[in-house]
C-alpha cells in the first residue's frame, strides 16, 4: 500500500511541475511586445515575436500579438508577411488582449487587403474583400471595402483605356455621403490617374492638411509599393515631371529618350548581373511591371549620385517584374541618404 501511495505522490508531483512549466512558458502579448521592442533591430524583434506566437497565454494574446507583428512587418515593407499576419489574427475568434491596441476583425481584414495590394498580390486582396467584411454595418469599413476593390481593379488594367469603368465609379464616389471616410483617397487617386487639376483643387480646398494634398503639392511622396507602379496613368502624365509642379510624385512614370533608354537597359542589365553576385543587402526603391519605368527610375537615382540597378522576378502567374535597388552601404545609412534625396526604400536581404 505504501508503495502505491509513493507512486501516486510521484505522479502528482510530476503533473504539478509539468503544469507549472506550461504556465511558465506562456506570456501575455504585452510582455512579448515589450521584450521584442528591446531587441537591437526590427528584424530581430519580428523573429522573436514569430517564435513566441504559439506561447501566448490566451487566444486573445495570440490575436493581438499577430496584429502587432503585422504592423511591424508592414513598417518594414514586408507586405506579404504582414498580410498573412493580419489574416491569421482575423481567423482567431477572440477579443483584444490586455495592454494591447484594440482592433476589430473587420479592421484586420482591411489591413490584410491593404498589404496584399501593396505586395502586388491582387488575388489575395480580392479573396479578403469577398469575405464577410462586405456585409459590414460600419459605414467607414464599407467605404474602404469599395475603395480597395476599385484599387484592385485598377491594378489589373493593362493600359489607361482599361481604367475607364473604374474611373467612372471613383468619380461617382466623390459625391456619395457613404464614401466620405475615404474621399481624400478617392480624390487623390483620380488626380494621380488623370492629372485633372480639379481633383487637386478639391484636395487643397477641403483637405489642405491631408497627406494626399501633401503629395499633390510636392511636400511628400507616395510609398514605393507595387500598387502605385502598376496602375496605368493617362498618357499626358508620362511627360517629364519637371514640366509641372503637380507631377512632383516619386513614382511618376516619365518617358525618357530612346537612346537613353537603350543605354540604361544595357547598363542596368550588366550592373545587375555583376552586383547581384556581390551584394547581400540592398535597398529596394522601385517595383515595376514596365522595364522602361524601371530604367527611368535608375536614371533619376544616378542623377542624384546613387548607383541604382535592376533585376527581374517572375511570379507564379508568369508576370515578370523589375525591381530597382541600391546596395546598402557599410554603415547602414543608405536608407537615410535615399530618403533625404526624395526616394523611399526598404531593406531586402538575400
Amino acid at each position: 500500500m505504501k508503495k502505491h501511495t509513493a507512486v501516486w505522490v510521484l505522479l502528482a508531483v510530476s503533473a504539478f511541475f509539468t503544469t507549472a512549466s506550461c504556465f511558465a512558458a506562456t506570456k501575455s502579448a504585452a510582455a512579448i511586445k515589450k521584450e521584442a521592442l528591446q531587441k537591437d533591430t526590427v528584424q530581430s524583434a519580428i523573429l522573436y515575436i514569430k517564435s513566441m506566437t504559439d506561447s501566448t497565454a490566451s487566444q486573445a494574446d495570440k490575436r493581438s500579438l499577430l496584429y502587432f507583428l503585422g504592423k511591424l512587418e508592414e513598417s518594414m515593407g514586408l507586405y506579404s508577411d504582414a498580410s498573412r499576419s493580419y489574416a491569421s489574427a482575423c481567423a482567431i475568434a477572440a477579443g483584444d488582449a490586455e495592454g494591447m491596441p484594440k482592433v476589430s476583425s473587420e479592421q484586420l481584414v482591411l489591413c490584410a487587403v491593404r498589404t496584399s495590394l501593396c505586395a502586388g498580390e491582387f488575388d489575395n486582396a480580392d479573396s479578403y474583400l469577398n469575405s464577410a467584411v462586405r456585409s459590414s454595418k460600419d459605414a467607414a469599413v464599407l467605404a474602404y471595402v469599395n475603395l480597395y476593390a476599385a484599387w484592385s481593379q485598377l491594378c489589373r488594367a493593362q493600359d489607361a483605356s482599361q481604367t475607364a469603368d473604374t474611373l467612372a465609379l471613383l468619380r461617382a464616389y466623390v459625391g456619395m455621403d457613404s464614401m466620405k471616410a475615404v474621399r481624400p483617397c478617392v480624390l487623390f487617386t483620380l488626380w494621380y490617374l488623370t492629372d485633372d487639376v480639379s481633383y487637386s483643387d478639391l484636395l487643397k480646398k477641403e483637405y489642405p492638411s491631408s497627406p494626399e494634398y501633401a503629395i499633390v503639392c510636392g511636400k511628400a511622396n507616395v510609398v514605393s509599393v507595387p500598387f502605385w507602379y502598376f496602375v496605368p496613368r493617362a498618357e499626358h502624365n508620362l511627360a517629364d515631371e519637371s514640366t509641372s509642379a503637380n507631377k512632383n510624385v516619386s513614382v511618376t512614370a516619365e518617358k525618357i529618350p530612346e537612346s537613353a533608354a537603350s543605354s540604361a537597359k544595357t547598363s542596368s542589365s550588366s550592373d545587375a548581373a555583376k552586383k547581384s553576385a556581390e551584394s547581400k543587402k540592398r535597398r529596394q526603391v522601385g517595383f515595376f511591371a514596365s522595364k522602361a519605368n524601371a530604367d527611368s527610375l535608375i536614371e533619376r537615382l544616378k542623377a542624384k549620385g546613387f548607383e541604382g540597378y535592376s533585376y527581374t522576378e517572375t511570379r507564379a502567374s508568369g508576370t515578370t517584374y523589375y525591381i530597382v535597388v541600391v546596395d546598402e552601404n557599410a554603415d547602414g545609412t543608405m536608407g537615410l541618404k535615399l530618403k533625404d534625396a526624395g526616394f523611399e526604400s526598404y531593406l531586402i536581404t538575400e
Side-chain angles (χ1 to χ4, degrees), residues 263-339:
S263 174
K265 180 177 181 180
T266 302
S267 175
S268 62
S269 298
S270 60
D271 287 348
K274 177 181 177 182
K275 297 191 178 186
S276 177
E278 297 175 350
S279 178
K280 294 298 181 182
K281 289 186 177 181
R282 297 179 280 194
R283 307 290 311 188
Q284 180 173 315
V285 188
F287 192 98
F288 298 90
S290 164
K291 180 68 166 67
N293 291 347
D295 288 341
S296 178
L297 178 55
I298 290 170
E299 290 297 305
R300 290 170 55 204
L301 284 165
K302 290 182 177 180
K304 293 291 184 73
F306 298 101
E307 289 298 319
Y309 60 97
S310 67
Y311 64 93
T312 60
E313 178 180 304
T314 302
R315 297 287 175 87
S317 62
T319 304
T320 297
Y321 299 119
Y322 300 86
I323 303 170
V324 177
V325 296
V326 175
D327 288 339
E328 181 60 272
N329 53 12
D331 56 4
T333 59
M334 184 58 72
L336 292 175
K337 292 180 178 180
L338 285 166
K339 190 173 184 67

Side-chain angles (χ1 to χ4, degrees), residues 208-220:
S209 300
S210 68
E212 289 82 5
Y213 182 64
I215 297 171
V216 169
C217 63
K219 295 180 179 179

Side-chain angles (χ1 to χ4, degrees), residues 64-323:
S64 291
L65 190 62
L66 283 168
Y67 172 58
F68 178 65
L69 174 61
K71 299 295 285 184
L72 280 182
E73 291 168 331
E74 186 175 0
S75 71
M76 291 296 291
L78 303 172
Y79 299 113
S80 293
D81 291 345
S83 178
R84 287 191 291 269
S85 295
Y86 290 138
S88 296
C90 183
I92 298 175
D96 302 302
E98 185 177 352
M100 296 294 284
K102 296 185 180 296
V103 59
S104 70
S105 294
E106 291 178 339
Q107 289 172 326
L108 285 170
V109 172
L110 292 178
C111 287
V113 174
R114 180 183 65 251
T115 46
S116 289
L117 287 173
C118 287
E121 297 171 352
F122 313 130
D123 289 338
N124 284 345
D126 286 346
S127 68
Y128 297 140
L129 284 170
N130 289 328
S131 65
V133 74
R134 282 195 179 275
S135 303
S136 175
K137 298 185 183 302
D138 187 320
V141 169
L142 285 177
Y144 275 102
V145 168
N146 292 333
L147 174 67
Y148 289 166
W151 281 0
S152 183
Q153 291 172 11
L154 288 170
C155 289
R156 296 174 187 279
Q158 298 300 309
D159 55 54
S161 66
Q162 295 182 9
T163 65
D165 291 342
T166 308
L167 287 176
L169 182 63
L170 288 169
R171 290 187 181 100
Y173 285 163
V174 172
M176 292 184 180
D177 289 340
S178 60
M179 296 294 289
K180 280 187 176 179
V182 296
R183 182 176 163 86
C185 296
V186 173
L187 289 170
F188 174 77
T189 304
L190 287 167
W191 168 80
Y192 182 81
L193 296 180
T194 67
D195 207 32
D196 188 335
V197 295
S198 65
Y199 300 119
S200 57
D201 288 344
L202 280 173
L203 281 170
K204 180 179 181 180
K205 178 182 178 181
E206 299 179 16
Y207 309 99
S209 300
S210 68
E212 289 82 5
Y213 182 64
I215 297 171
V216 169
C217 63
K219 295 180 179 179
N221 295 317
V222 294
V223 177
S224 301
V225 297
F227 173 79
W228 298 109
Y229 295 132
F230 292 162
V231 179
R233 304 176 68 184
E235 185 66 25
H236 58 272
N237 250 338
L238 301 179
D240 190 306
E241 64 183 34
S242 63
T243 60
S244 170
N246 278 346
K247 296 189 181 71
N248 190 15
V249 181
S250 66
V251 295
T252 44
E254 58 269 77
K255 285 184 176 177
I256 56 178
E258 191 64 33
S259 58
S262 176
S263 174
K265 180 177 181 180
T266 302
S267 175
S268 62
S269 298
S270 60
D271 287 348
K274 177 181 177 182
K275 297 191 178 186
S276 177
E278 297 175 350
S279 178
K280 294 298 181 182
K281 289 186 177 181
R282 297 179 280 194
R283 307 290 311 188
Q284 180 173 315
V285 188
F287 192 98
F288 298 90
S290 164
K291 180 68 166 67
N293 291 347
D295 288 341
S296 178
L297 178 55
I298 290 170
E299 290 297 305
R300 290 170 55 204
L301 284 165
K302 290 182 177 180
K304 293 291 184 73
F306 298 101
E307 289 298 319
Y309 60 97
S310 67
Y311 64 93
T312 60
E313 178 180 304
T314 302
R315 297 287 175 87
S317 62
T319 304
T320 297
Y321 299 119
Y322 300 86
I323 303 170

Side-chain angles (χ1 to χ4, degrees), residues 35-76:
E35 292 170 354
L37 293 177
Q38 294 174 348
K39 301 297 180 182
D40 293 335
T41 65
V42 180
Q43 291 92 335
S44 297
I46 289 173
L47 289 174
Y48 176 71
I49 293 172
K50 286 183 175 179
S51 72
M52 297 297 291
T53 51
D54 291 328
S55 303
T56 49
S58 68
Q59 287 295 90
D61 285 293
K62 184 174 184 178
R63 177 180 181 272
S64 291
L65 190 62
L66 283 168
Y67 172 58
F68 178 65
L69 174 61
K71 299 295 285 184
L72 280 182
E73 291 168 331
E74 186 175 0
S75 71
M76 291 296 291

